[in-house]
Amino acid sequence: MKAYRAAILRFDDEHRPVYELDGMLVVGPDAHGRRVVRAVGDHAALAGRFPGVAVEDLRGRLIAPGFVDMHIHYPQTDVIGAPAAGLLPWLEHYTFPHEARFNEEGHAREVAAFFFDELQRHGVTTALTFATSHPASVTAAFQEAQARGLRFITGKVLQDRHSPDGVRDETEQSLIDTEALIRRWHGVDRLGYAITPRFAPTSSPEQLRGAGELAEKYSDVWIQSHVAENVDEVKWVAELFPHARSYLGVYADAGLLRERAVYAHCIHFDATDRALMRETGAAAAISPSSNLFLGSGFFDYAAADDAGMRYGLASDVGGGTSFSPFHTMLAAYYVGRAGQHKTGVSLTPGQLWWQHTAGAARALGLDGVVGNLQPGYEADFVVLDPKATPLLARKTAQANSLDELLFALIVLGDDRVVERVHTA
Ligand code: GUN
Ligand code: ZN
């Protein structure tokens, strides 16, 4: 067992932040030997209960749950900052040519190693990640994540049409490859598999149906895709699937809406789409920096809340502009300002932080596992330095409330704030 003395941020069952200025976090092995949170709370109240346990003094630092990124593309690490008129030209001119290189295992491995280093530097300890259509890209990512002991989910992209040579796969083989990868990797150590149709325009109805059949057969694997991101994309889907009720309806018809199904963007939705998300238990991965960069639109938080939809935050690198959860939370704040709010002008810092930790984990079906620092949770946490830059030191020293402290970190923070990352 080991204990840490620092300020500690975690969340209660009502999604509210709980903060101890002089806190203590005790971690130790559970029955399976995995490092979990054994106790957490006020230092004065807890210290006497753990005599003999070494306590590392981190006063002046903030311990918080490791960040959870609900949607990111590791093969797009080198695509960040590629300007385009919108989603579809961006895919054609930058993304597909980059992804075509991932049939080379050496290239996939080199990018995966850099990607995981970058996640760690930014304090992200769990990510639901797109690979490419090449099975080798999945193997490379799982091997790197396994070596680092991460809780990590990825899958082979399915795209058997409207895709150029080099990234297009073949319907039957793509499903055979997917099943083989599920059997090889899902549930190994902390790894999970996600059935990954890229988006409705690049999968034939047969491929989507096959994906849905696998999702039924392997009911605890994840599903990930994109939906209702961009107006041209939505129009194209309506032409390709004239009988579907909506874009989301294409996935519903294929059996791809259920718990552990995560759809990036969910911008151009109607009330029926949102109700379907709630009824099926599917979750939205809100990707605000990507949506602002590609000019896709604004996620409607108020409508999502009214519908009772599950959601959390995501970077969507390389459509997104940063690996940093602080940048993503700030972009979500900007997006929140565009909506209607019963209280305040946008989201609160506690809401933003929850959406990138406990809320994201809950939306992934990893409630009770990661994303929070309550007893029993896997001990994935970050040690943050609120004085990492001169301006942050000045600003956080003047914070009169938890909201002011968290806001200072969200607005001014980046990888310089992340002093250390611990994983279970
Ligand atoms: N829709 C289909 N593929 C992609 C992708 O790679 N990024 C984003 N943002 N949207 C997509
Ligand atoms: Zn994406």
Side-chain angles (χ1 to χ4, degrees):
M1 287 221 278
K2 169 133 202 231
Y4 304 86
R5 183 175 183 179
I8 297 176
L9 176 69
R10 59 201 156 106
F11 295 89
D12 68 14
D13 291 342
E14 270 71 57
H15 314 165
R16 288 179 305 229
V18 178
Y19 181 69
E20 268 104 16
L21 180 59
D22 185 12
M24 181 157 136
L25 177 72
V26 184
V27 305
D30 67 3
H32 313 287
R34 184 159 289 157
R35 268 159 48 94
V36 298
V37 175
R38 299 287 290 269
V40 60
D42 181 59
H43 176 265
L46 270 186
R49 278 179 43 201
F50 296 92
V53 172
V55 182
E56 185 172 354
D57 191 342
L58 293 170
R59 275 176 286 182
R61 305 291 190 267
L62 172 63
I63 287 179
F67 290 103
V68 176
D69 192 329
M70 284 187 69
H71 178 86
I72 185 168
H73 300 250
Y74 97 79
Q76 294 176 16
T77 299
D78 298 326
V79 180
I80 294 181
L87 171 67
L88 300 175
W90 176 83
L91 286 171
E92 184 186 340
H93 297 305
Y94 297 104
T95 306
F96 291 155
H98 266 89
E99 292 195 9
R101 290 192 59 197
F102 284 72
N103 64 341
E104 297 163 43
E105 200 172 320
H107 178 65
R109 191 165 303 285
E110 188 275 325
V111 176
F114 182 88
F115 169 84
F116 285 113
D117 286 349
E118 204 62 5
L119 286 186
Q120 160 130 1
R121 285 193 333 99
H122 287 280
V124 177
T125 49
T126 285
L128 171 60
T129 306
F130 266 56
T132 65
S133 56
H134 316 92
S137 74
V138 178
T139 304
F142 274 138
Q143 286 177 343
E144 285 293 330
Q146 186 178 37
R148 292 156 197 255
L150 294 178
R151 185 161 286 286
F152 172 76
I153 308 161
T154 192
K156 179 202 127 50
V157 173
L158 299 166
Q159 53 180 121
D160 66 351
R161 65 168 176 171
H162 301 137
S163 305
D165 291 349
V167 295
R168 192 178 57 258
D169 62 11
E170 191 275 319
T171 314
E172 193 179 338
Q173 189 61 43
S174 73
L175 300 168
I176 291 169
D177 289 342
T178 295
E179 185 158 21
L181 288 164
I182 291 171
R183 289 171 175 271
R184 169 66 183 86
W185 290 107
H186 184 68
V188 173
D189 295 339
R190 303 179 77 197
L191 308 176
Y193 192 85
I195 297 167
T196 307
R198 175 165 218 118
F199 66 155
T202 51
S203 282
S204 64
E206 297 71 39
Q207 192 177 47
L208 291 176
R209 253 199 313 278
E213 283 162 16
L214 286 171
E216 188 174 11
K217 181 170 176 185
Y218 298 96
S219 59
D220 69 336
V221 307
W222 281 265
I223 298 165
Q224 60 176 343
S225 192
H226 301 90
V227 71
E229 175 178 5
N230 166 286
V231 287
D232 294 332
E233 170 210 23
V234 173
K235 221 181 289 166
W236 191 17
V237 172
E239 288 160 19
L240 292 170
F241 297 90
H243 303 298
R245 196 207 68 82
S246 67
Y247 188 164
L248 189 68
V250 173
Y251 299 127
D253 294 345
L256 289 166
L257 293 188
R258 61 156 167 74
E259 303 242 332
R260 292 197 169 193
V262 176
Y263 286 88
H265 311 302
C266 303
I267 294 171
H268 307 286
F269 264 8
D270 62 18
T272 307
D273 292 324
R274 293 190 182 92
L276 192 56
M277 291 290 286
R278 179 184 46 75
E279 284 158 23
T280 57
I286 306 170
S287 307
S289 82
S290 170
N291 300 155
L292 296 170
F293 184 73
L294 290 173
S296 302
F298 300 83
F299 182 82
D300 189 335
Y301 274 102
D305 286 340
D306 286 346
M309 260 170 71
R310 275 189 207 179
Y311 57 71
L313 282 174
S315 67
D316 192 31
V317 161
T321 51
S322 174
F323 280 86
S324 175
F326 300 103
H327 288 199
T328 301
M329 291 188 285
L330 180 57
Y333 180 78
Y334 296 147
V335 166
R337 288 208 63 135
Q340 301 297 312
H341 291 277
K342 296 184 182 86
T343 55
V345 293
S346 178
L347 301 149
T348 67
Q351 287 170 327
L352 293 163
W353 210 292
W354 180 83
Q355 287 175 30
H356 224 336
T357 54
R362 177 170 169 267
L364 289 176
L366 291 173
D367 220 4
V369 181
V370 294
N372 208 345
L373 292 175
Q374 301 292 0
Y377 276 74
E378 295 174 356
D380 290 345
F381 61 94
V382 291
V383 179
L384 305 179
D385 178 7
K387 299 182 166 44
T389 70
L391 182 56
L392 264 167
R394 191 180 166 90
K395 186 77 190 154
T396 58
Q398 296 175 48
N400 287 314
S401 65
L402 178 60
D403 271 8
E404 289 186 10
L405 173 67
L406 299 183
F407 248 138
L409 289 165
I410 288 170
V411 174
L412 300 173
D414 55 31
D415 48 308
R416 291 170 293 182
V417 168
V418 182
E419 193 172 273
R420 269 204 251 161
V421 177
H422 289 252
T423 46

